[in-house]
Amino acid sequence: MDQTLPVYADIEAAARRLAGHVVRTPLLSSPALDAATGARVFVKPEVLQRTGSFKFRGAFNRLSLIPEDERARGVVAYSSGNHAQGVAAAAQIIGLPATIVMPADAPAFKRERTKGYGARVVLYDRDRESREGIAEAIVAESGATLVLPFDDPQIIAGQGTVGLEIAEDLHARGIAPDLVSAPASGGGLVAGIALATNHHFPQARLLTSEPAGYDDHARSLASGVRQRHDAKARSICDALMAPEPGELTFAINRQLVAGGVTATDVEAMQAMAFAFNELKLVVEPGGAVALAALLAGRMDARGQTVVIVLSGGNVDAGLYAEAIGQRAND
């Protein structure tokens, strides 16, 4: 695949490929959220997307472009869960065999759902083994196509359809956003949204949202060069634990994203509880970090029109119950 940076036209093309296969998730508002933040807030709930996260968009767009004579060899991906499910589901729809390399400590819910879409799951120890090395070995043996989680132009373009839908829905309301924020791991979602937002609303400010300690995007955007985070402990935000921004994604975000904010694990759980109680949405910890940062006052949002992306809702029942119980005990 061509590794040149995607442009807005690639997002429009992705939207045409995805039509009829993805859920056009709504743009929601909540008086309770407005009151809690002093802002006019719109929420894009990708928790309602096929497979429970935005990842299906990029995966389906990328897989749909695999040449017919290469499809029988299948696809390989590595992921802690949401990209895994997105690739597995897209492969099932298109009719491709899929192998997914997943950490052994990934949430059981995500592992089982990935298998449920028909994929073969290969587990590894994230502390002692390289997921990239394992995936590359499988590709070398099988001739399968490696589907990267974020550093691929067509993955970024597919994720950008989130931003395209936001822009279309805001235009329909006659509203322009002041601030847009989404969770960031490798940065594909933010990069795609940034391309779409910059095309429609060049005055809007974009922010990445990350777990506390896993602030590689915030560090990189501040310095202008890619930097790794220095997290010493695991976060419950398992979907957002990439060590540094992607090369392609950061090339876009460096130009279009203003900076980054973070939220603690406790704040992420509080945001999950807020989403449950006030928005009636199930959100996983990583999917809730932008909402968490907003509720914690990390964004200069008061009096602003803000769009927050809830990027995923794939969470184990036990952790989810703990998050809701924490709200009840506060």
Side-chain angles (χ1 to χ4, degrees):
M1 293 293 289
D2 185 8
Q3 292 298 298
T4 56
L5 294 179
V7 296
Y8 179 71
D10 295 315
I11 296 174
E12 293 181 306
R16 291 190 290 271
R17 293 185 199 102
L18 293 173
H21 296 286
V22 300
V23 176
R24 185 187 176 98
T25 54
L27 200 58
L28 307 176
S29 60
S30 161
L33 185 52
D34 291 353
T37 61
R40 185 182 189 186
V41 184
F42 293 93
V43 172
K44 180 69 166 172
E46 282 296 289
V47 302
L48 303 177
Q49 188 51 256
R50 202 165 190 159
T51 75
S53 93
F54 73 95
K55 287 286 193 177
F56 178 78
R57 296 173 182 264
F60 189 90
N61 188 51
R62 176 66 180 86
L63 267 61
S64 69
L65 292 170
I66 295 174
E68 289 287 345
D69 61 352
E70 298 178 15
R71 293 187 173 188
R73 296 196 290 270
V75 295
V76 176
Y78 46 79
S79 165
S80 66
N82 285 337
H83 179 60
Q85 292 176 80
V87 171
Q92 185 180 60
I93 293 168
I94 296 172
L96 310 178
T99 298
I100 312 296
V101 180
M102 300 184 71
D105 63 353
F109 174 82
K110 294 183 178 182
R111 295 199 310 268
E112 293 308 312
R113 288 296 295 268
T114 301
K115 293 178 183 177
Y117 291 118
R120 178 171 74 102
V121 172
V122 175
L123 299 179
Y124 75 99
D125 183 330
R126 74 166 89 213
D127 292 323
R128 295 197 291 266
E129 296 179 287
S130 165
R131 64 181 191 175
E132 292 87 354
I134 294 170
E136 287 165 5
I138 296 171
V139 167
E141 180 180 351
S142 66
T145 298
L146 180 63
V147 183
L148 298 173
F150 45 83
D151 243 356
D152 180 300
Q154 297 304 332
I155 292 286
I156 296 170
Q159 319 307 25
T161 61
V162 174
L164 174 58
E165 291 176 9
I166 290 170
E168 290 174 344
D169 288 350
L170 288 176
H171 279 311
R173 292 171 165 90
I175 298 169
D178 300 301
L179 173 64
V180 179
S181 186
S185 183
L189 174 62
V190 173
I193 290 174
L195 288 169
T197 300
N198 185 66
H199 179 86
H200 288 274
F201 306 109
Q203 81 292 341
R205 186 165 55 105
L206 283 88
L207 295 175
T208 59
S209 291
E210 300 170 282
Y214 289 82
D215 57 347
D216 46 290
H217 284 274
R219 291 167 179 252
S220 301
L221 291 166
S223 68
V225 295
R226 288 198 303 152
Q227 296 192 17
R228 298 173 73 89
H229 61 68
D230 61 358
K232 301 297 189 295
R234 290 276 165 77
S235 169
I236 62 170
C237 301
D238 62 279
L240 304 181
M241 292 169 61
E244 64 182 336
E247 292 184 24
L248 297 185
T249 60
F250 187 66
I252 296 168
N253 293 334
R254 178 175 54 198
Q255 302 297 324
L256 301 179
V257 179
V261 295
T262 64
T264 67
D265 281 0
V266 169
E267 289 164 346
M269 293 182 76
Q270 291 170 341
M272 292 165 64
F274 185 97
F276 171 77
N277 286 292
E278 303 297 344
L279 306 178
K280 311 308 176 188
L281 293 171
V282 175
V283 190
E284 67 184 275
V289 291
L291 177 61
L294 175 66
L295 289 169
R298 305 279 158 68
M299 304 176 189
D300 181 16
R302 188 163 292 275
Q304 305 281 296
T305 298
V306 180
V307 179
I308 295 295
V309 178
L310 302 178
S311 57
N314 294 309
V315 56
D316 280 342
L319 178 60
Y320 192 66
E322 183 182 346
I324 297 172
Q326 178 182 351
R327 169 63 178 269
N329 294 330
D330 283 347

